[in-house]
Amino acid sequence: LGTILEEIHPDVGAAYEYFRTFELYDIEPDGKKMDMGYTVELPAYGDAYIYDNGYGTYQDYFTMIHEFGHFCSYYYNTVPEMYQGFHVDVCEIQSQGLEMLSRPYYEELVPGMGEAMQAYVVYEMLINIISCCIYDEIEQEIYRNPDMSLEELNQAVVDISSQYGYDQT
C-alpha cells in the first residue's frame, strides 16, 4: 500500500511511512475484536490511530485506504483542536477522495481483481450520493413538518426512499 500512496502524492506516502513507523494501527483479523473499522484522532500527538477487524481479503484494502484518508486528514491538520468542529461530510471527502485516487492502482494491489474493485468503488460513491440525497429530502420534510408523528416520519422515509428506487418495506 505504501508504494501506491507515494505515487498518489509524496505527502500521502510520507504520512504512511510515519503511520507504519509508529505502528498506529490494529488491523489484524481477530474473532475477539469488534467487526468494524474506524480512525480515531490523537490531537495531542498530531496524528491518529486506525482500528479494523480485517477479513484477510481484498476488502481490507478498501477499508485501509478509506481510513487512511481520515488518518492523513488528522496528520496534516494544523488547526488547534479547540477550534475544530466535526463535519462528517468534509471527513468523507478526504477518505472517499483517497479511495478514488487509489482506483487506478487496484490491479497492482490485488492482481486479477483490479477491474472489479475499480467498478465497485465507483458504484459505492454513486450509492453514497444517492443516500445523501435521500437523507437531505428526509431532513427537509422534518423541517417542513416538525410536529409529524413517528408513523408519519416512517412513512415519509418509505415514500422518499422509494422515489430513489429503494424498497423500505
mmCIF file of all heavy atoms in Angstrom, residues 72-115:
data_model
loop_
_atom_site.group_PDB
_atom_site.id
_atom_site.type_symbol
_atom_site.label_atom_id
_atom_site.label_comp_id
_atom_site.label_asym_id
_atom_site.label_seq_id
_atom_site.Cartn_x
_atom_site.Cartn_y
_atom_site.Cartn_z
ATOM 1 N N CYS A 72 -4.714 10.782 7.154
ATOM 2 C CA CYS A 72 -3.991 11.910 6.525
ATOM 3 C C CYS A 72 -4.618 13.240 6.907
ATOM 4 O O CYS A 72 -3.908 14.227 7.150
ATOM 5 C CB CYS A 72 -3.983 11.762 5.011
ATOM 6 S SG CYS A 72 -2.785 10.588 4.416
ATOM 7 N N SER A 73 -5.924 13.263 6.964
ATOM 8 C CA SER A 73 -6.620 14.481 7.350
ATOM 9 C C SER A 73 -6.176 14.932 8.737
ATOM 10 O O SER A 73 -5.876 16.104 8.965
ATOM 11 C CB SER A 73 -8.119 14.237 7.321
ATOM 12 O OG SER A 73 -8.807 15.279 7.959
ATOM 13 N N TYR A 74 -6.142 14.010 9.658
ATOM 14 C CA TYR A 74 -5.718 14.337 11.024
ATOM 15 C C TYR A 74 -4.226 14.674 11.075
ATOM 16 O O TYR A 74 -3.802 15.590 11.762
ATOM 17 C CB TYR A 74 -6.012 13.180 11.977
ATOM 18 C CG TYR A 74 -7.477 12.887 12.150
ATOM 19 C CD1 TYR A 74 -7.947 11.579 12.102
ATOM 20 C CD2 TYR A 74 -8.412 13.901 12.368
ATOM 21 C CE1 TYR A 74 -9.300 11.296 12.269
ATOM 22 C CE2 TYR A 74 -9.756 13.620 12.530
ATOM 23 C CZ TYR A 74 -10.195 12.314 12.483
ATOM 24 O OH TYR A 74 -11.521 12.038 12.654
ATOM 25 N N TYR A 75 -3.442 13.923 10.342
ATOM 26 C CA TYR A 75 -1.990 14.084 10.350
ATOM 27 C C TYR A 75 -1.567 15.461 9.841
ATOM 28 O O TYR A 75 -0.663 16.087 10.391
ATOM 29 C CB TYR A 75 -1.352 12.979 9.496
ATOM 30 C CG TYR A 75 0.152 12.983 9.460
ATOM 31 C CD1 TYR A 75 0.893 12.537 10.546
ATOM 32 C CD2 TYR A 75 0.831 13.417 8.322
ATOM 33 C CE1 TYR A 75 2.279 12.516 10.509
ATOM 34 C CE2 TYR A 75 2.219 13.401 8.279
ATOM 35 C CZ TYR A 75 2.935 12.953 9.371
ATOM 36 O OH TYR A 75 4.306 12.937 9.331
ATOM 37 N N TYR A 76 -2.229 15.940 8.814
ATOM 38 C CA TYR A 76 -1.853 17.216 8.219
ATOM 39 C C TYR A 76 -2.686 18.399 8.722
ATOM 40 O O TYR A 76 -2.489 19.533 8.293
ATOM 41 C CB TYR A 76 -1.915 17.145 6.697
ATOM 42 C CG TYR A 76 -0.737 16.378 6.134
ATOM 43 C CD1 TYR A 76 -0.902 15.115 5.587
ATOM 44 C CD2 TYR A 76 0.540 16.909 6.190
ATOM 45 C CE1 TYR A 76 0.182 14.401 5.094
ATOM 46 C CE2 TYR A 76 1.638 16.202 5.709
ATOM 47 C CZ TYR A 76 1.448 14.960 5.154
ATOM 48 O OH TYR A 76 2.525 14.253 4.673
ATOM 49 N N ASN A 77 -3.594 18.158 9.640
ATOM 50 C CA ASN A 77 -4.436 19.232 10.166
ATOM 51 C C ASN A 77 -3.623 20.087 11.145
ATOM 52 O O ASN A 77 -3.091 19.581 12.127
ATOM 53 C CB ASN A 77 -5.652 18.638 10.873
ATOM 54 C CG ASN A 77 -6.647 19.694 11.280
ATOM 55 O OD1 ASN A 77 -6.402 20.887 11.172
ATOM 56 N ND2 ASN A 77 -7.794 19.254 11.758
ATOM 57 N N THR A 78 -3.545 21.377 10.882
ATOM 58 C CA THR A 78 -2.789 22.283 11.750
ATOM 59 C C THR A 78 -3.692 23.171 12.604
ATOM 60 O O THR A 78 -3.197 23.988 13.371
ATOM 61 C CB THR A 78 -1.856 23.183 10.906
ATOM 62 O OG1 THR A 78 -2.646 23.940 9.988
ATOM 63 C CG2 THR A 78 -0.826 22.347 10.161
ATOM 64 N N VAL A 79 -4.996 23.004 12.486
ATOM 65 C CA VAL A 79 -5.933 23.800 13.279
ATOM 66 C C VAL A 79 -5.951 23.256 14.706
ATOM 67 O O VAL A 79 -6.148 22.054 14.912
ATOM 68 C CB VAL A 79 -7.349 23.752 12.662
ATOM 69 C CG1 VAL A 79 -8.349 24.512 13.529
ATOM 70 C CG2 VAL A 79 -7.333 24.288 11.244
ATOM 71 N N PRO A 80 -5.748 24.120 15.702
ATOM 72 C CA PRO A 80 -5.807 23.640 17.096
ATOM 73 C C PRO A 80 -7.143 22.958 17.389
ATOM 74 O O PRO A 80 -8.195 23.398 16.912
ATOM 75 C CB PRO A 80 -5.639 24.911 17.921
ATOM 76 C CG PRO A 80 -4.931 25.865 17.002
ATOM 77 C CD PRO A 80 -5.444 25.543 15.624
ATOM 78 N N GLU A 81 -7.089 21.924 18.187
ATOM 79 C CA GLU A 81 -8.267 21.109 18.496
ATOM 80 C C GLU A 81 -9.452 21.949 18.975
ATOM 81 O O GLU A 81 -10.586 21.716 18.583
ATOM 82 C CB GLU A 81 -7.912 20.049 19.552
ATOM 83 C CG GLU A 81 -9.045 19.178 19.996
ATOM 84 C CD GLU A 81 -9.560 18.227 18.924
ATOM 85 O OE1 GLU A 81 -8.862 17.974 17.937
ATOM 86 O OE2 GLU A 81 -10.692 17.741 19.100
ATOM 87 N N MET A 82 -9.205 22.930 19.805
ATOM 88 C CA MET A 82 -10.308 23.714 20.364
ATOM 89 C C MET A 82 -11.048 24.547 19.306
ATOM 90 O O MET A 82 -12.156 25.012 19.547
ATOM 91 C CB MET A 82 -9.826 24.612 21.512
ATOM 92 C CG MET A 82 -8.909 25.720 21.093
ATOM 93 S SD MET A 82 -8.316 26.692 22.494
ATOM 94 C CE MET A 82 -9.749 27.660 22.892
ATOM 95 N N TYR A 83 -10.463 24.717 18.130
ATOM 96 C CA TYR A 83 -11.102 25.478 17.070
ATOM 97 C C TYR A 83 -11.704 24.590 15.987
ATOM 98 O O TYR A 83 -12.247 25.086 15.008
ATOM 99 C CB TYR A 83 -10.113 26.457 16.432
ATOM 100 C CG TYR A 83 -9.602 27.477 17.410
ATOM 101 C CD1 TYR A 83 -8.255 27.547 17.701
ATOM 102 C CD2 TYR A 83 -10.473 28.343 18.062
ATOM 103 C CE1 TYR A 83 -7.776 28.478 18.611
ATOM 104 C CE2 TYR A 83 -10.004 29.275 18.971
ATOM 105 C CZ TYR A 83 -8.656 29.341 19.240
ATOM 106 O OH TYR A 83 -8.191 30.244 20.139
ATOM 107 N N GLN A 84 -11.576 23.315 16.161
ATOM 108 C CA GLN A 84 -12.097 22.396 15.153
ATOM 109 C C GLN A 84 -13.542 22.046 15.442
ATOM 110 O O GLN A 84 -13.957 21.971 16.581
ATOM 111 C CB GLN A 84 -11.277 21.100 15.131
ATOM 112 C CG GLN A 84 -9.880 21.271 14.642
ATOM 113 C CD GLN A 84 -9.142 19.950 14.602
ATOM 114 O OE1 GLN A 84 -9.735 18.911 14.383
ATOM 115 N NE2 GLN A 84 -7.843 20.011 14.811
ATOM 116 N N GLY A 85 -14.267 21.805 14.405
ATOM 117 C CA GLY A 85 -15.601 21.237 14.518
ATOM 118 C C GLY A 85 -15.548 19.874 13.855
ATOM 119 O O GLY A 85 -14.560 19.515 13.219
ATOM 120 N N PHE A 86 -16.596 19.109 14.024
ATOM 121 C CA PHE A 86 -16.645 17.801 13.373
ATOM 122 C C PHE A 86 -17.711 17.849 12.300
ATOM 123 O O PHE A 86 -18.882 18.071 12.594
ATOM 124 C CB PHE A 86 -16.945 16.693 14.380
ATOM 125 C CG PHE A 86 -16.987 15.331 13.756
ATOM 126 C CD1 PHE A 86 -15.818 14.714 13.350
ATOM 127 C CD2 PHE A 86 -18.188 14.684 13.548
ATOM 128 C CE1 PHE A 86 -15.847 13.462 12.762
ATOM 129 C CE2 PHE A 86 -18.229 13.439 12.962
ATOM 130 C CZ PHE A 86 -17.052 12.822 12.578
ATOM 131 N N HIS A 87 -17.286 17.676 11.058
ATOM 132 C CA HIS A 87 -18.203 17.722 9.927
ATOM 133 C C HIS A 87 -18.032 16.441 9.123
ATOM 134 O O HIS A 87 -17.047 16.281 8.400
ATOM 135 C CB HIS A 87 -17.913 18.950 9.065
ATOM 136 C CG HIS A 87 -17.980 20.232 9.844
ATOM 137 N ND1 HIS A 87 -19.171 20.813 10.190
ATOM 138 C CD2 HIS A 87 -17.015 21.015 10.370
ATOM 139 C CE1 HIS A 87 -18.940 21.909 10.880
ATOM 140 N NE2 HIS A 87 -17.637 22.051 11.007
ATOM 141 N N VAL A 88 -18.978 15.537 9.269
ATOM 142 C CA VAL A 88 -18.893 14.235 8.619
ATOM 143 C C VAL A 88 -18.736 14.382 7.113
ATOM 144 O O VAL A 88 -17.944 13.673 6.494
ATOM 145 C CB VAL A 88 -20.133 13.368 8.950
ATOM 146 C CG1 VAL A 88 -20.137 12.083 8.151
ATOM 147 C CG2 VAL A 88 -20.170 13.060 10.440
ATOM 148 N N ASP A 89 -19.456 15.328 6.521
ATOM 149 C CA ASP A 89 -19.375 15.496 5.073
ATOM 150 C C ASP A 89 -17.943 15.774 4.628
ATOM 151 O O ASP A 89 -17.462 15.197 3.661
ATOM 152 C CB ASP A 89 -20.291 16.636 4.613
ATOM 153 C CG ASP A 89 -21.752 16.340 4.873
ATOM 154 O OD1 ASP A 89 -22.079 15.169 5.124
ATOM 155 O OD2 ASP A 89 -22.565 17.273 4.832
ATOM 156 N N VAL A 90 -17.256 16.662 5.334
ATOM 157 C CA VAL A 90 -15.880 17.009 4.979
ATOM 158 C C VAL A 90 -14.958 15.813 5.229
ATOM 159 O O VAL A 90 -14.094 15.504 4.401
ATOM 160 C CB VAL A 90 -15.396 18.246 5.760
ATOM 161 C CG1 VAL A 90 -13.922 18.527 5.494
ATOM 162 C CG2 VAL A 90 -16.245 19.463 5.398
ATOM 163 N N CYS A 91 -15.149 15.119 6.336
ATOM 164 C CA CYS A 91 -14.317 13.945 6.641
ATOM 165 C C CYS A 91 -14.427 12.895 5.541
ATOM 166 O O CYS A 91 -13.431 12.260 5.174
ATOM 167 C CB CYS A 91 -14.747 13.318 7.959
ATOM 168 S SG CYS A 91 -14.435 14.341 9.396
ATOM 169 N N GLU A 92 -15.610 12.715 5.016
ATOM 170 C CA GLU A 92 -15.799 11.705 3.987
ATOM 171 C C GLU A 92 -15.231 12.132 2.637
ATOM 172 O O GLU A 92 -14.875 11.285 1.823
ATOM 173 C CB GLU A 92 -17.268 11.306 3.877
ATOM 174 C CG GLU A 92 -17.764 10.550 5.095
ATOM 175 C CD GLU A 92 -16.916 9.330 5.440
ATOM 176 O OE1 GLU A 92 -16.646 8.493 4.555
ATOM 177 O OE2 GLU A 92 -16.503 9.209 6.610
ATOM 178 N N ILE A 93 -15.119 13.416 2.402
ATOM 179 C CA ILE A 93 -14.453 13.872 1.176
ATOM 180 C C ILE A 93 -13.005 13.383 1.190
ATOM 181 O O ILE A 93 -12.487 12.892 0.188
ATOM 182 C CB ILE A 93 -14.509 15.410 1.054
ATOM 183 C CG1 ILE A 93 -15.937 15.869 0.774
ATOM 184 C CG2 ILE A 93 -13.548 15.897 -0.044
ATOM 185 C CD1 ILE A 93 -16.137 17.368 0.889
ATOM 186 N N GLN A 94 -12.360 13.506 2.326
ATOM 187 C CA GLN A 94 -10.952 13.115 2.421
ATOM 188 C C GLN A 94 -10.776 11.607 2.269
ATOM 189 O O GLN A 94 -9.893 11.150 1.536
ATOM 190 C CB GLN A 94 -10.393 13.609 3.756
ATOM 191 C CG GLN A 94 -10.405 15.116 3.820
ATOM 192 C CD GLN A 94 -10.628 15.670 5.200
ATOM 193 O OE1 GLN A 94 -11.050 14.989 6.121
ATOM 194 N NE2 GLN A 94 -10.349 16.957 5.354
ATOM 195 N N SER A 95 -11.607 10.832 2.925
ATOM 196 C CA SER A 95 -11.452 9.378 2.871
ATOM 197 C C SER A 95 -11.918 8.813 1.526
ATOM 198 O O SER A 95 -11.236 7.985 0.921
ATOM 199 C CB SER A 95 -12.213 8.715 4.019
ATOM 200 O OG SER A 95 -13.575 9.082 3.990
ATOM 201 N N GLN A 96 -13.060 9.267 1.043
ATOM 202 C CA GLN A 96 -13.548 8.774 -0.237
ATOM 203 C C GLN A 96 -12.717 9.333 -1.389
ATOM 204 O O GLN A 96 -12.554 8.680 -2.419
ATOM 205 C CB GLN A 96 -15.026 9.114 -0.402
ATOM 206 C CG GLN A 96 -15.884 8.340 0.576
ATOM 207 C CD GLN A 96 -17.345 8.701 0.491
ATOM 208 O OE1 GLN A 96 -17.787 9.410 -0.398
ATOM 209 N NE2 GLN A 96 -18.126 8.209 1.446
ATOM 210 N N GLY A 97 -12.173 10.519 -1.187
ATOM 211 C CA GLY A 97 -11.272 11.065 -2.195
ATOM 212 C C GLY A 97 -10.047 10.184 -2.376
ATOM 213 O O GLY A 97 -9.613 9.917 -3.509
ATOM 214 N N LEU A 98 -9.484 9.691 -1.264
ATOM 215 C CA LEU A 98 -8.328 8.798 -1.371
ATOM 216 C C LEU A 98 -8.728 7.483 -2.032
ATOM 217 O O LEU A 98 -7.947 6.910 -2.798
ATOM 218 C CB LEU A 98 -7.680 8.551 -0.011
ATOM 219 C CG LEU A 98 -6.359 7.790 -0.056
ATOM 220 C CD1 LEU A 98 -5.316 8.502 -0.919
ATOM 221 C CD2 LEU A 98 -5.811 7.584 1.356
ATOM 222 N N GLU A 99 -9.943 7.022 -1.780
ATOM 223 C CA GLU A 99 -10.412 5.810 -2.464
ATOM 224 C C GLU A 99 -10.405 6.017 -3.978
ATOM 225 O O GLU A 99 -9.970 5.131 -4.728
ATOM 226 C CB GLU A 99 -11.836 5.454 -2.020
ATOM 227 C CG GLU A 99 -11.936 4.910 -0.622
ATOM 228 C CD GLU A 99 -13.363 4.560 -0.275
ATOM 229 O OE1 GLU A 99 -13.941 3.681 -0.964
ATOM 230 O OE2 GLU A 99 -13.907 5.149 0.669
ATOM 231 N N MET A 100 -10.882 7.159 -4.417
ATOM 232 C CA MET A 100 -10.932 7.420 -5.857
ATOM 233 C C MET A 100 -9.532 7.625 -6.437
ATOM 234 O O MET A 100 -9.245 7.171 -7.541
ATOM 235 C CB MET A 100 -11.826 8.621 -6.156
ATOM 236 C CG MET A 100 -13.297 8.372 -5.853
ATOM 237 S SD MET A 100 -13.985 6.910 -6.677
ATOM 238 C CE MET A 100 -14.030 7.479 -8.358
ATOM 239 N N LEU A 101 -8.655 8.285 -5.695
ATOM 240 C CA LEU A 101 -7.283 8.470 -6.166
ATOM 241 C C LEU A 101 -6.533 7.143 -6.236
ATOM 242 O O LEU A 101 -5.612 6.977 -7.049
ATOM 243 C CB LEU A 101 -6.531 9.444 -5.255
ATOM 244 C CG LEU A 101 -6.978 10.903 -5.330
ATOM 245 C CD1 LEU A 101 -6.325 11.708 -4.220
ATOM 246 C CD2 LEU A 101 -6.681 11.501 -6.694
ATOM 247 N N SER A 102 -6.926 6.186 -5.418
ATOM 248 C CA SER A 102 -6.289 4.862 -5.395
ATOM 249 C C SER A 102 -6.830 3.938 -6.476
ATOM 250 O O SER A 102 -6.226 2.903 -6.779
ATOM 251 C CB SER A 102 -6.511 4.196 -4.031
ATOM 252 O OG SER A 102 -5.952 4.976 -3.004
ATOM 253 N N ARG A 103 -7.943 4.301 -7.065
ATOM 254 C CA ARG A 103 -8.631 3.453 -8.030
ATOM 255 C C ARG A 103 -7.729 2.887 -9.127
ATOM 256 O O ARG A 103 -7.785 1.698 -9.402
ATOM 257 C CB ARG A 103 -9.801 4.243 -8.623
ATOM 258 C CG ARG A 103 -10.736 3.445 -9.456
ATOM 259 C CD ARG A 103 -11.933 4.303 -9.888
ATOM 260 N NE ARG A 103 -12.641 3.609 -10.921
ATOM 261 C CZ ARG A 103 -12.408 3.744 -12.221
ATOM 262 N NH1 ARG A 103 -11.480 4.570 -12.637
ATOM 263 N NH2 ARG A 103 -13.088 3.045 -13.094
ATOM 264 N N PRO A 104 -6.845 3.677 -9.747
ATOM 265 C CA PRO A 104 -6.012 3.112 -10.816
ATOM 266 C C PRO A 104 -5.017 2.046 -10.339
ATOM 267 O O PRO A 104 -4.459 1.319 -11.158
ATOM 268 C CB PRO A 104 -5.241 4.335 -11.355
ATOM 269 C CG PRO A 104 -5.999 5.523 -10.894
ATOM 270 C CD PRO A 104 -6.682 5.121 -9.622
ATOM 271 N N TYR A 105 -4.821 1.929 -9.042
ATOM 272 C CA TYR A 105 -3.812 1.012 -8.503
ATOM 273 C C TYR A 105 -4.391 -0.311 -7.993
ATOM 274 O O TYR A 105 -3.657 -1.151 -7.487
ATOM 275 C CB TYR A 105 -3.051 1.694 -7.363
ATOM 276 C CG TYR A 105 -2.382 2.967 -7.801
ATOM 277 C CD1 TYR A 105 -3.005 4.195 -7.607
ATOM 278 C CD2 TYR A 105 -1.138 2.932 -8.425
ATOM 279 C CE1 TYR A 105 -2.388 5.372 -8.014
ATOM 280 C CE2 TYR A 105 -0.521 4.105 -8.843
ATOM 281 C CZ TYR A 105 -1.149 5.317 -8.628
ATOM 282 O OH TYR A 105 -0.549 6.471 -9.044
ATOM 283 N N TYR A 106 -5.700 -0.497 -8.086
ATOM 284 C CA TYR A 106 -6.315 -1.701 -7.526
ATOM 285 C C TYR A 106 -5.776 -2.988 -8.149
ATOM 286 O O TYR A 106 -5.606 -3.983 -7.446
ATOM 287 C CB TYR A 106 -7.837 -1.645 -7.613
ATOM 288 C CG TYR A 106 -8.461 -0.652 -6.650
ATOM 289 C CD1 TYR A 106 -9.602 0.054 -6.987
ATOM 290 C CD2 TYR A 106 -7.911 -0.434 -5.398
ATOM 291 C CE1 TYR A 106 -10.177 0.953 -6.106
ATOM 292 C CE2 TYR A 106 -8.481 0.469 -4.516
ATOM 293 C CZ TYR A 106 -9.608 1.156 -4.873
ATOM 294 O OH TYR A 106 -10.176 2.040 -3.995
ATOM 295 N N GLU A 107 -5.514 -2.992 -9.426
ATOM 296 C CA GLU A 107 -4.975 -4.200 -10.062
ATOM 297 C C GLU A 107 -3.591 -4.522 -9.507
ATOM 298 O O GLU A 107 -3.260 -5.687 -9.293
ATOM 299 C CB GLU A 107 -4.907 -4.035 -11.587
ATOM 300 C CG GLU A 107 -4.415 -5.274 -12.317
ATOM 301 C CD GLU A 107 -5.341 -6.484 -12.165
ATOM 302 O OE1 GLU A 107 -6.568 -6.313 -12.042
ATOM 303 O OE2 GLU A 107 -4.813 -7.619 -12.175
ATOM 304 N N GLU A 108 -2.815 -3.503 -9.237
ATOM 305 C CA GLU A 108 -1.493 -3.694 -8.637
ATOM 306 C C GLU A 108 -1.609 -4.262 -7.221
ATOM 307 O O GLU A 108 -0.821 -5.110 -6.817
ATOM 308 C CB GLU A 108 -0.778 -2.340 -8.604
ATOM 309 C CG GLU A 108 0.638 -2.359 -8.104
ATOM 310 C CD GLU A 108 1.243 -0.963 -8.134
ATOM 311 O OE1 GLU A 108 0.897 -0.153 -9.021
ATOM 312 O OE2 GLU A 108 2.067 -0.684 -7.251
ATOM 313 N N LEU A 109 -2.607 -3.811 -6.481
ATOM 314 C CA LEU A 109 -2.802 -4.278 -5.115
ATOM 315 C C LEU A 109 -3.316 -5.712 -5.057
ATOM 316 O O LEU A 109 -2.856 -6.513 -4.248
ATOM 317 C CB LEU A 109 -3.789 -3.370 -4.370
ATOM 318 C CG LEU A 109 -3.284 -1.997 -3.986
ATOM 319 C CD1 LEU A 109 -4.422 -1.165 -3.406
ATOM 320 C CD2 LEU A 109 -2.139 -2.092 -2.998
ATOM 321 N N VAL A 110 -4.298 -6.005 -5.901
ATOM 322 C CA VAL A 110 -4.937 -7.322 -5.898
ATOM 323 C C VAL A 110 -5.023 -7.814 -7.335
ATOM 324 O O VAL A 110 -6.044 -7.611 -8.011
ATOM 325 C CB VAL A 110 -6.337 -7.272 -5.244
ATOM 326 C CG1 VAL A 110 -6.915 -8.675 -5.119
ATOM 327 C CG2 VAL A 110 -6.299 -6.599 -3.880
ATOM 328 N N PRO A 111 -3.962 -8.439 -7.827
ATOM 329 C CA PRO A 111 -3.966 -8.897 -9.227
ATOM 330 C C PRO A 111 -5.182 -9.770 -9.546
ATOM 331 O O PRO A 111 -5.550 -10.646 -8.765
ATOM 332 C CB PRO A 111 -2.662 -9.701 -9.329
ATOM 333 C CG PRO A 111 -1.778 -9.102 -8.278
ATOM 334 C CD PRO A 111 -2.709 -8.742 -7.141
ATOM 335 N N GLY A 112 -5.794 -9.468 -10.680
ATOM 336 C CA GLY A 112 -6.971 -10.208 -11.108
ATOM 337 C C GLY A 112 -8.268 -9.633 -10.588
ATOM 338 O O GLY A 112 -9.344 -10.012 -11.043
ATOM 339 N N MET A 113 -8.200 -8.706 -9.634
ATOM 340 C CA MET A 113 -9.406 -8.120 -9.043
ATOM 341 C C MET A 113 -9.534 -6.631 -9.352
ATOM 342 O O MET A 113 -10.529 -6.008 -8.999
ATOM 343 C CB MET A 113 -9.393 -8.305 -7.518
ATOM 344 C CG MET A 113 -9.550 -9.724 -7.040
ATOM 345 S SD MET A 113 -11.228 -10.321 -7.228
ATOM 346 C CE MET A 113 -12.119 -9.257 -6.123
ATOM 347 N N GLY A 114 -8.512 -6.053 -9.973
ATOM 348 C CA GLY A 114 -8.465 -4.606 -10.156
ATOM 349 C C GLY A 114 -9.673 -4.013 -10.830
ATOM 350 O O GLY A 114 -10.257 -3.035 -10.355
ATOM 351 N N GLU A 115 -10.089 -4.586 -11.952
ATOM 352 C CA GLU A 115 -11.218 -4.022 -12.692
ATOM 353 C C GLU A 115 -12.503 -4.096 -11.876
ATOM 354 O O GLU A 115 -13.274 -3.133 -11.836
ATOM 355 C CB GLU A 115 -11.382 -4.768 -14.022
ATOM 356 C CG GLU A 115 -12.344 -4.085 -14.963
ATOM 357 C CD GLU A 115 -12.360 -4.750 -16.329
ATOM 358 O OE1 GLU A 115 -11.282 -5.087 -16.854
ATOM 359 O OE2 GLU A 115 -13.471 -4.926 -16.860
#
